[in-house]
Each structure stands twice: as structure tokens, then as C-alpha cells.
Amino acid sequence: METLKEKTAKGLFWGALNNGATQVLNLVFGIFLGRLLSTEDYGIVALITIFTLLAGCIQSAGFSQALANLKTPTKHDYNAVFWFNIIAGGILYVVLFFCAPLISWFFDQPLLTEVSRLAFLTIPLSAICIVPNAKLWIELRNREQAIATIIALLTSGCCGVWMAWNGWAYWSLAWQQVIFITVATLLKYYFTRWAPSLPVDFSPIRRMFRFSSKVLITNMLTVISQNVLTFIFGKMLPISAVGLFNQANKWNTMGSSLVSKTMEQVAQPVLASVSDEEGRQERVFRKMLRFTSFLSFPLMFGLALVAYEFILLTIGPKWEESVVLLQILCVSGACLPLHTLYQNAVISNGRSDLFLRLVALQIILQITIALCLTPFGITTVVIAFSALSVLLTFMWHLALQRIRRISLKEALSDTLPFAIIALGCMAVTGLLTTWTSVLWLRLLLRVVIAALLYLGIMKLLRVKTLDECMAFIFKNKRTEE
């Protein structure tokens, strides 16, 4: 039997491998698509993303988290969730299918009607995948998750690039999403060997609804908060500006997701399974907080450092205006994995009500900022959003502090040193590499020097998080050999 520490470490390893491979593939395909498609193509698809994500939240209704919060979910629980999602997903697709002309009218983009009807197919397809995805997540089977995701990305990415090459424009992005969901769903059913059954008993839905309904509303608000800028920009600014912001936000999200999704795959299941022994959950959470900070700050500050070289070398000069937006967004991107960890800690303690209130406050602040500052330009809004993201980190800590005895001083001691060291390493690296104007050489030097500086300082200071990571990697390597 694996200990909780071993199971968590294994889950983190496969979660990191999954998200690392995911971001590399997204990077490769994103480069090809960025060169083949225009700012307008990205803007068109970005406008309907919020509707797809919101519908996905409604269809899942927070039952994935509710299942994870059960100590031992039964086959009846899974079966009820499956059929509920199938019904909800089908209804939502029909509603959105007929609402597509209204969406097109709102944004004054006639092209949106047909492309949105295709993109909305991801909703019923995702509904079919909810249960096998939840089973793999709850059981910390991140290896299978990784295989399914990587194969789905390879398949959908190749199809998207082929379509873009042949002139399908924004249709290639929409088809890429549909193909990804389809392939991932088939593979996850293969790995879980789970199948629905009849008749259906919906009583588990009623038992879980009190918890899941709060998660549902919170997830919807989270989606709104993450996409509110695209929505408001789409209404108030040219579609090309939406495309520029979407491109910058895409790379920022890819970077932060590398850490946040790794933690998300293990945080709630692990924290929910930790016993109520005095101080044990606090110790587990603080270790996760240090690990998250150890990865997040150097990764996102490093992305800000190389943003100019990266954008121009990969997707070309036509996207140069997105560089400044990406650099500013990297500040909020560094905080996002911390938010994810805090949110999972709050949910694992059954406080979806507290989670809901804080996310509601977050969305109100974000919408207010966006509406008030958009007339002053995209850059001003993005700066305000990044500042708000830093403030929200403290707010999430205060929320968790109401449940668990973790002081602000302890949290700062777990996070701030990594942020300061990472920022210092990037500043020194920037100064050391100003002598060359050759973009590819400067990019290479900045990546190598920043990584060596950061890891060297971690080793010099004998940071335990680094030692634990290295010990696990080499132990895993020896086991495979």
C-alpha cells in the first residue's frame, strides 16, 4: 500500500508530466497556428469561449468536486451523475444552438453564428466524459490522464494545423476543440472501463446538490472572471484587439496552468483524504504551498523576461503588440497557481459557501475594473487586473485562515522568498544579456542563465523543496530502470 506522501508525490509527478507535455504540445501547435492565422481569427473564436465554458459548468453542476469530497463514491453515485450530465448537456446544446444568432448580433460579428454552433458541440461531448474524468481524478490516476490528454492533443493539434494550412481560418480552431474532447473522452472510457446503466436512481444527485450547487455557481463565476476581459473587449474594441489580448492571455495561461493544473489534480483529493489529526492538513497544505511557489514564480517571471524574443521568434512580428500585455499578465499568472491551491483547500474542508462568496467578490471587482478602465486602453485594464490578482492571493489566505490555523506570516515565509529570489534572478539575467541584439541567442542565454541562477541559489540555500523534488525524480528513474 502506498503512503499518502508516496501517492501524492506520484500524482504530482504524473500531473507535472501531463501538464508539461500539454504545454509543450500547445506551444508547438500554437506557434504553427499563430503564424497561419490572423488576429481576427483568434478574436472570433475567443468571443464564444466564455459561452462554452459557462455551459460546461452548468452541465457538470459541480458534481466532479462533490464526488471527490465523498470518502467512497459508489457506482450509483457515478451513474446518477452521468445521466444528469447527459440530460443537461443535451438541453444546453439545443438552447445555445438557437441562441447563436443572438450572440452574433450582440458582438456584431455575423460569422459567429455557424462557428459557435460547431464549438458548442464540446458541451455534450464533455458531458459524456464527466464520470471517467472524475474517476481518474479521484483515484489519482494521473498517468492515464496524461496519456489520454497527450494523444488527444497530438490528434487535435495536427488536425487544426492541417486545416489552418488549407485555409480554414477560424474554423480550424473550433474543430481543434471538438476533436480534442472526442479523442480524450474515448481514451478515458478505455482506461476506466466504466459504463453507465439503467434504470437510473437520481437520489445521489439530491444528496450532493447542496454542496455541488455552490461549487457550480462558483465555477461559473470563475469562468466569468477569467474571460470577462475578452467579453468586454469584444463589445467595446475592434476584433483585432481581442485577438491580440487573446494571444497574450493564451501564453500566460499556458505557463500558469503548468503549475496550477498539476496541483489541481492532487490538491483536493489529497487534502480531503487527510485525517483530522491536529495540524496534519496544515502541514500538507504548507508543503504544497512551498512546492507551488518554487515552480510558479521563476516560471512566470521567466516568461515575462523572454516574452519579446519568444513572441517574435515563434509567431512573428504581427503579434508584437501582445508582448507588453503578456509581460503584465505574467504577474497575475504567477499568483494563479496559489489561488488554485487555496481554492482546493477551502473546498476540501467542505466550505463551498466561503468559496462562493469570495469568488463572487472577485468577479464584481473585475467587472468594475474592466468597465471603468477599458476606455483608457487594454494595457491599463491588464495592469489593474494583475494588481487585483496579487490582492486576491491575500484574500484567499484570509478565507482559509478561518478554517485552518495557518497564519499570514507562515504563508509569506512559504512563498515570498521564492518570489524575491526569482525576481532577482530574472533582473540579473536581463542585465547580463543586454549586450546582444540577436533574438535567438538572447532567448537561449536568458533561459539557461536564469535557470542556472535560480537552481544554484536554491541549492546554495539548501532549500528542502528542491532536494525533495530531486530525490523523487532520481528515485523514480531508478525504479523504472
Side-chain angles (χ1 to χ4, degrees):
M1 293 290 291
E2 290 181 308
T3 65
L4 179 63
K5 182 177 180 180
E6 291 171 338
K7 199 171 184 179
T8 304
K10 189 174 181 180
L12 284 170
F13 174 78
W14 280 104
L17 183 63
N18 179 14
N19 288 292
T22 296
Q23 302 313 326
V24 169
L25 290 174
N26 280 329
L27 170 65
V28 173
F29 292 126
I31 290 171
F32 280 105
L33 291 170
R35 287 186 171 275
L36 292 169
L37 302 177
S38 67
T39 56
E40 289 79 8
D41 291 330
Y42 273 91
I44 287 290
V45 175
L47 292 178
I48 58 176
T49 300
I50 189 170
F51 298 101
T52 305
L53 294 174
L54 281 173
C57 290
I58 296 171
Q59 147 236 302
S60 65
F63 287 116
S64 292
Q65 291 91 335
L67 286 168
N69 238 37
L70 298 175
K71 295 297 181 183
T72 53
T74 67
K75 62 180 182 180
H76 299 296
D77 296 326
Y78 286 121
N79 197 55
V81 168
F82 172 83
W83 287 110
F84 176 87
N85 286 326
I86 289 294
I87 295 170
I91 293 172
L92 282 169
Y93 179 75
V94 172
V95 171
L96 286 172
F97 182 92
F98 288 106
C99 286
L102 294 176
I103 298 172
S104 178
W105 167 80
F106 179 82
F107 289 112
D108 194 24
Q109 295 291 335
L111 299 172
L112 281 179
T113 299
E114 296 303 322
V115 74
S116 62
R117 286 172 171 171
L118 171 64
F120 292 155
L121 281 174
T122 58
I123 297 166
L125 289 171
S126 297
I128 299 171
C129 193
I130 287 290
V131 168
N133 192 60
K135 282 182 68 66
L136 292 174
W137 178 46
I138 292 167
E139 296 166 8
L140 292 176
R141 295 171 63 185
N142 290 342
R143 176 177 174 272
E144 289 84 353
Q145 291 265 40
I147 294 171
T149 301
I150 291 169
I151 293 175
L153 272 173
L154 281 169
T155 306
S156 61
C158 290
C159 291
V161 170
W162 180 84
M163 291 176 182
W165 179 268
N166 285 278
W168 289 45
Y170 51 84
W171 287 102
S172 58
L173 296 174
W175 271 111
Q176 185 183 20
Q177 296 174 14
V178 173
I179 294 169
F180 173 81
I181 294 293
T182 302
V183 175
T185 298
L186 293 172
L187 288 170
K188 288 176 183 180
Y189 269 95
Y190 170 78
F191 286 127
T192 57
R193 307 292 183 178
W194 182 86
S197 61
L198 293 171
V200 187
D201 176 14
F202 284 110
S203 59
I205 297 294
R206 291 191 291 272
R207 290 197 301 270
M208 288 185 279
F209 187 75
R210 183 177 179 183
F211 176 87
S212 66
S213 60
K214 295 171 185 174
V215 176
L216 162 64
I217 298 171
T218 303
N219 287 344
M220 291 178 65
L221 291 174
T222 301
V223 166
I224 293 171
S225 71
Q226 292 172 348
N227 295 273
V228 66
L229 281 185
T230 301
F231 188 85
I232 293 175
F233 289 164
K235 183 63 178 175
M236 301 177 66
L237 298 174
I239 194 68
S240 59
V242 179
L244 287 169
F245 172 76
N246 178 255
Q247 190 69 253
N249 193 45
K250 182 186 74 173
W251 296 116
N252 172 63
T253 303
M254 282 175 59
S256 62
S257 294
L258 181 62
V259 183
S260 62
K261 288 189 179 297
T262 298
M263 298 308 302
E264 190 174 37
Q265 287 180 334
V266 299
Q268 190 190 343
V270 169
L271 291 170
S273 66
V274 172
S275 66
D276 291 329
E277 175 190 338
E278 183 68 24
R280 192 179 180 203
Q281 191 175 93
E282 285 84 349
R283 291 193 298 273
V284 172
F285 174 81
R286 289 190 63 191
K287 178 168 284 192
M288 287 183 171
L289 188 61
R290 289 191 292 272
F291 178 78
T292 303
S293 302
F294 170 75
L295 294 177
S296 181
F297 289 113
L299 177 65
M300 297 312 299
F301 292 167
L303 179 57
L305 175 67
V306 302
Y308 180 80
E309 296 80 9
F310 174 77
I311 292 294
L312 265 66
L313 286 171
T314 55
I315 55 178
K318 66 181 176 183
W319 297 102
E320 185 175 354
E321 292 180 63
S322 67
V323 170
V324 174
L325 300 178
L326 173 57
Q327 291 174 325
I328 300 168
L329 285 170
C330 283
V331 176
S332 62
C335 297
L336 183 61
L338 302 179
H339 296 179
T340 301
L341 182 59
Y342 274 109
Q343 289 164 1
N344 279 276
V346 170
I347 291 176
S348 67
N349 283 276
R351 292 300 305 273
S352 56
D353 58 328
L354 185 58
F355 186 12
L356 173 59
R357 289 199 296 270
L358 189 51
V359 173
L361 175 61
Q362 174 181 330
I363 192 66
I364 291 170
L365 292 173
Q366 289 177 322
I367 291 176
T368 302
I369 289 173
L371 291 175
C372 293
L373 298 182
T374 296
F376 297 96
I378 292 180
T379 304
T380 303
V381 180
V382 172
I383 290 172
F385 259 61
S386 294
L388 178 61
S389 183
V390 176
L391 175 63
L392 286 169
T393 307
F394 291 96
M395 294 171 65
W396 277 112
H397 174 79
L398 294 176
L400 183 61
Q401 194 172 330
R402 296 179 59 180
I403 308 170
R404 294 289 173 179
R405 290 185 293 179
I406 303 174
S407 68
L408 180 60
K409 181 180 179 181
E410 289 173 325
L412 288 174
S413 69
D414 291 333
T415 57
L416 203 54
F418 294 107
I420 294 172
I421 292 171
L423 188 60
C425 289
M426 302 312 149
V428 171
T429 301
L431 291 173
L432 291 175
T433 54
T434 53
W435 58 271
T436 178
S437 59
V438 181
L439 293 181
W440 69 266
L441 179 59
R442 194 162 64 198
L443 174 64
L444 179 62
L445 287 174
R446 286 184 170 182
V447 171
V448 173
I449 293 173
L452 291 176
L453 268 177
Y454 184 74
L455 292 175
I457 292 174
M458 293 292 107
K459 192 67 177 175
L460 186 64
L461 296 176
R462 298 179 180 179
V463 176
K464 192 175 180 181
T465 303
L466 174 62
D467 295 335
E468 289 176 342
C469 291
M470 298 303 295
F472 177 76
I473 291 171
F474 286 116
K475 176 185 174 183
N476 202 66
K477 184 178 179 181
R478 286 196 300 270
T479 302
E480 291 178 354
E481 292 174 350

